[in-house]
Structure formats: C-alpha cells, structure tokens
Amino acid sequence: ALWFAGNAVLPDLVEEWKDLDESSLGYLTSSVQFGFIMGTLLFALLSIADRFRPTKVFFVCAVAGASCNAILPACQRTESVGGLVVL
C-alpha cells in the first residue's frame, strides 16, 4: 500500500541522502498523511465514487501513485520529495 511505502523506505533515504535530519523525516511522513486526507476530501467533494466505476478509480489512483513513486529516486532535494509524496 502506498500509505506504508514512505515508512518502509525512510532508512534507505537516510543512507542515500546524507542531508536528511529528523525534521525532514517527520515532514515526509506528514506529507503522506496530508496527501491521503486531501485526496479523500477531494474525492468526497467531487463525488468521485458515485460518478465513476470503482475499478477505474482504483486503477487511475494506483497508476498515479506508482508514477510518483517511480520519480522519487530522481529527486535531489527533500522539498521535491515531499511534494511528490503528497500527490
């Protein structure tokens, strides 16, 4: 699940990016939670579940999440990682 992916890779990110400190790790974890909250709110306000088939919604969300995760290794700064994690 994308929700747990950030926590699973945090030790590897600390090794890969030497400039990560404790506040950056908290920022990344909070970004994941913020993204899920905002996505849920957006889906509720736009009635996505009522307007589209659940299989298509799940597929589009899974592809979007996988695409953002695929871009993460190319990021050089923690700020850009946080933006992708929210998406």
Side-chain angles (χ1 to χ4, degrees), residues 13 40 48 68:
L13 287 177
T40 302
I48 299 293
C68 288

Side-chain angles (χ1 to χ4, degrees), residues 4 18 31-32 44-45 49 53 64 74 77:
F4 301 111
K18 304 298 183 197
S31 296
V32 171
L45 291 175
R53 294 175 59 195
R77 299 186 54 169

Side-chain angles (χ1 to χ4, degrees), residues 36-53:
F36 273 92
I37 291 168
M38 295 311 302
T40 302
L41 181 62
L42 182 70
F43 274 42
L45 291 175
L46 297 178
S47 302
I48 299 293
D50 297 328
R51 299 167 80 194
F52 302 100
R53 294 175 59 195

Side-chain angles (χ1 to χ4, degrees), residues 1 5 17-18 22-23 26 28 33 37 39 41 49 51 67-69 72-73 75-76 81:
W17 295 330
K18 304 298 183 197
E22 292 296 322
S23 63
L28 290 175
Q33 295 169 354
I37 291 168
L41 181 62
R51 299 167 80 194
S67 299
C68 288
N69 281 342
L72 284 177
C75 295
Q76 298 297 320
V81 170

